[in-house]
Amino acid sequence: MAEMYTYAVARVRCREMALLTRADLSRLMQCQTEEECLRTLQDKGWGKDTATHLSAEEMLIEEDRKIWSFIGELVHDPGVFDVLRLPKDFNNLKAAVKSVITKVTPPHIYMSGGTVPPETMQRAVEQNDFSLLPDFLAEPGREAASLLLQTRDGQRCDILLDRACLMAVQKAAESSECDLLREYAELTTAIADIKIAVRAQKTGKSRAFLQEALAPCRTLSLDSLTAAALKSCDDLLSYLMLTPYAPAVEALKDSASAFEKWCDDRVIELIRGQKYEAFTLGPLVAYILARQNEISTVRVLLAGKRNHMDDGLIQERLRDLYV
């Protein structure tokens, strides 16, 4: 098994040298406009190899595509990364259901890197034939389409598919031989549950809503989380102080954006140990997550420049980096 990933890890180590550094972020921060940032990123190798002008979103989509294209060169069985790929499937299923039923198709609604082609999902919804999809997508897709047709309640549609996604990710992680993927799946599910509980508390959602939305995980008691969310913000934060997510409480007290940053930084903290691994799948997983994190970081920075935010505010929102 060790020999299986030796070459792949060696190639990843080479690619890691091209990851963004703090110095790169500083150069981007010195840019006066979003367009100047995009030119700087293109000089760094972001976007397409040609000189074609890309919008910010097109460039970020291209960078995500590059991740999976590179990983596809290294590993013959992409199924080992299903924990990371399944959220893309559920994002695409959500987009297909909403675009077909509402007959509104925004640009760039589909993501690359999933396990099922987006075109197949769109065809399944259009033909109301969810047998075209694998089991883990078929039933949630059928339920979501039916729910949206009957109620036009986009939020409940999202809740149904988001919970199904977390359950599918947990199941994929259980069958994985990679410890990092199992830890990441647990962290992802717990963070999603915390976000749901916080939003539910602020908006006065019911117990039924929480029971429908929350996904089980090992590091949180859903009964305790639900009870706390139904009481008050202080009760919710007090419960979280008793869990492995106590360090997130200060970020939650600060703002939603501070908590989002804490979540992304926690992932980087989780994967940093993979820098010292050489023979397992872990460094490949870490590289994927590191690249996704830097794409998120650049998205935050570009949005700040686009909206003429103060540089100090942008800086506060920038994520930690893997290198």
Side-chain angles (χ1 to χ4, degrees):
M1 182 66 71
E3 291 76 9
M4 183 185 301
Y5 296 114
T6 304
Y7 170 73
V9 172
R11 288 197 61 191
V12 161
R13 296 298 182 226
C14 292
R15 285 294 181 100
E16 284 176 352
M17 297 174 67
L19 290 173
L20 294 181
T21 65
R22 279 289 163 190
D24 292 322
L25 289 186
S26 294
R27 281 192 287 276
L28 289 171
M29 285 298 302
Q30 291 168 12
C31 296
Q32 298 301 308
T33 64
E34 180 185 29
E35 290 71 24
E36 190 178 345
C37 286
L38 292 175
R39 289 195 296 271
T40 301
L41 287 166
Q42 195 165 33
D43 291 341
K44 179 76 177 171
W46 282 49
K48 296 183 179 179
D49 294 334
T50 64
T52 305
H53 174 74
L54 297 177
S55 68
E57 191 58 30
E58 287 169 339
M59 177 177 283
L60 298 180
I61 289 172
E62 176 63 15
E63 287 305 300
D64 186 73
R65 186 200 64 77
K66 286 181 184 179
I67 298 173
W68 296 102
S69 175
F70 172 58
I71 293 298
E73 298 173 8
L74 306 181
V75 178
H76 295 303
D77 177 15
V80 296
F81 298 108
D82 278 357
V83 169
L84 306 181
R85 300 167 73 213
L86 293 178
K88 295 176 180 289
D89 283 331
F90 280 92
N91 174 85
N92 291 342
L93 180 58
K94 191 186 299 184
V97 168
K98 288 184 175 180
S99 67
V100 170
I101 292 177
T102 64
K103 296 180 173 56
V104 176
T105 306
H108 311 307
I109 63 170
Y110 293 123
M111 301 175 70
S112 62
T115 69
V116 177
E119 302 79 24
T120 303
M121 296 193 191
Q122 182 156 336
R123 189 163 65 252
V125 180
E126 288 173 342
Q127 300 176 4
N128 194 28
D129 182 7
F130 291 91
S131 66
L132 297 172
L133 304 178
D135 291 343
F136 73 89
L137 287 171
E139 188 56 31
R142 186 179 297 107
E143 290 181 21
S146 176
L147 177 67
L148 194 59
L149 277 169
Q150 293 174 16
T151 68
R152 297 289 165 169
D153 189 336
Q155 185 186 54
R156 284 194 66 197
C157 177
D158 288 346
I159 288 170
L160 189 158
L161 292 177
D162 287 344
R163 187 177 189 276
C165 176
L166 292 171
M167 299 292 284
V169 165
Q170 288 274 28
K171 185 175 181 180
E174 288 170 6
S175 61
S176 174
E177 296 180 356
C178 179
D179 291 340
L180 177 59
L181 283 174
R182 289 194 292 271
E183 292 178 42
Y184 175 75
E186 176 66 19
L187 176 63
T188 299
T189 305
I191 284 174
D193 284 342
I194 292 170
K195 290 178 180 178
I196 291 166
V198 169
R199 287 196 298 268
Q201 195 285 316
K202 289 181 177 179
T203 55
K205 295 294 186 181
S206 66
R207 181 180 298 274
F209 171 88
L210 286 163
Q211 290 174 337
E212 188 176 49
L214 296 175
C217 61
R218 297 188 312 276
T219 50
L220 291 173
S221 163
L222 295 195
D223 288 341
S224 298
L225 185 65
T226 298
L230 291 173
K231 290 179 182 177
S232 69
C233 179
D234 287 342
D235 283 293
L236 179 55
L237 296 180
S238 295
Y239 167 67
L240 291 176
M241 285 297 296
L242 304 175
T243 73
Y245 309 100
V249 170
E250 285 304 314
L252 283 166
K253 288 179 180 178
D254 186 357
S255 66
S257 62
F259 178 62
E260 289 287 348
K261 181 181 184 304
W262 181 90
C263 295
D264 289 343
D265 289 350
R266 179 67 187 87
V267 171
I268 295 300
E269 181 183 335
L270 178 66
I271 67 177
R272 276 219 169 96
Q274 299 303 314
K275 290 181 179 181
Y276 312 104
E277 295 288 340
F279 306 110
T280 70
L281 185 66
L284 279 68
V285 174
Y287 175 78
I288 295 169
L289 293 173
R291 284 285 282 130
Q292 291 177 339
N293 177 72
E294 69 176 12
I295 290 171
S296 296
T297 300
V298 169
R299 178 175 278 111
V300 169
L301 192 152
L302 292 176
K305 294 292 184 180
R306 185 184 314 126
N307 293 294
H308 309 291
M309 289 176 59
D310 179 78
D311 282 355
L313 291 176
I314 298 175
Q315 197 76 47
E316 289 177 5
R317 288 165 169 75
L318 296 184
R319 276 53 175 158
D320 199 1
L321 296 173
Y322 185 55
V323 296

